[in-house]
Amino acid sequence: MTDRGRSAKDNRLFVEAVLWLARTGSPWRDLPPEFGNWHSTYVRFARWRDAGVWNRVALALACERDLGRVFIDSTIVRAHQHASGAQKK
């Protein structure tokens, strides 16, 4: 997908911002300023999601031989503080 205008200026920085958010589990508003405006980054992320770009990236990476097996270590999986259980009675 090609973005029009300034949003396509630095795709690498944009993808780095998305990866930073995924890695840290931080909310969009906590995106460091060196990645750009958090709202612009979110809007672009949502446009790519709606256009199926992220699905195509995942499919392309799934075909990579070196990425045939990917393990998720629980030390990097973030959960919301309220995700520990249901309301106690």
Side-chain angles (χ1 to χ4, degrees), residues 1 5 11 15 28-29 32 36 39 42 47 54-55 64 70 76:
M1 175 178 171
N11 287 329
V15 172
W28 285 100
R29 289 181 188 264
H39 188 261
Y42 169 74
R47 273 200 330 260
W54 297 116
N55 289 336
E64 289 292 320
V70 177
I76 63 163

Side-chain angles (χ1 to χ4, degrees), residues 37-53:
N37 180 281
W38 72 268
H39 188 261
S40 299
T41 304
Y42 169 74
V43 169
R44 188 169 173 194
F45 172 83
R47 273 200 330 260
W48 281 30
R49 178 197 61 212
D50 295 343
V53 173

Side-chain angles (χ1 to χ4, degrees), residues 10-88:
D10 193 347
N11 287 329
R12 185 181 184 132
L13 184 63
F14 165 68
V15 172
E16 287 290 332
V18 172
L19 292 175
W20 183 89
L21 287 163
R23 184 173 55 250
T24 63
S26 297
W28 285 100
R29 289 181 188 264
D30 290 346
L31 186 67
E34 56 265 19
F35 289 118
N37 180 281
W38 72 268
H39 188 261
S40 299
T41 304
Y42 169 74
V43 169
R44 188 169 173 194
F45 172 83
R47 273 200 330 260
W48 281 30
R49 178 197 61 212
D50 295 343
V53 173
W54 297 116
N55 289 336
R56 291 194 304 272
V57 168
L59 289 173
L61 290 175
C63 295
E64 289 292 320
R65 230 166 86 164
D66 293 340
L67 294 176
R69 294 184 183 163
V70 177
F71 296 96
I72 298 176
D73 181 357
S74 65
T75 60
I76 63 163
V77 176
R78 308 266 186 224
H80 191 274
Q81 61 186 357
H82 297 112
S84 63
Q87 223 175 17
K88 308 269 189 269

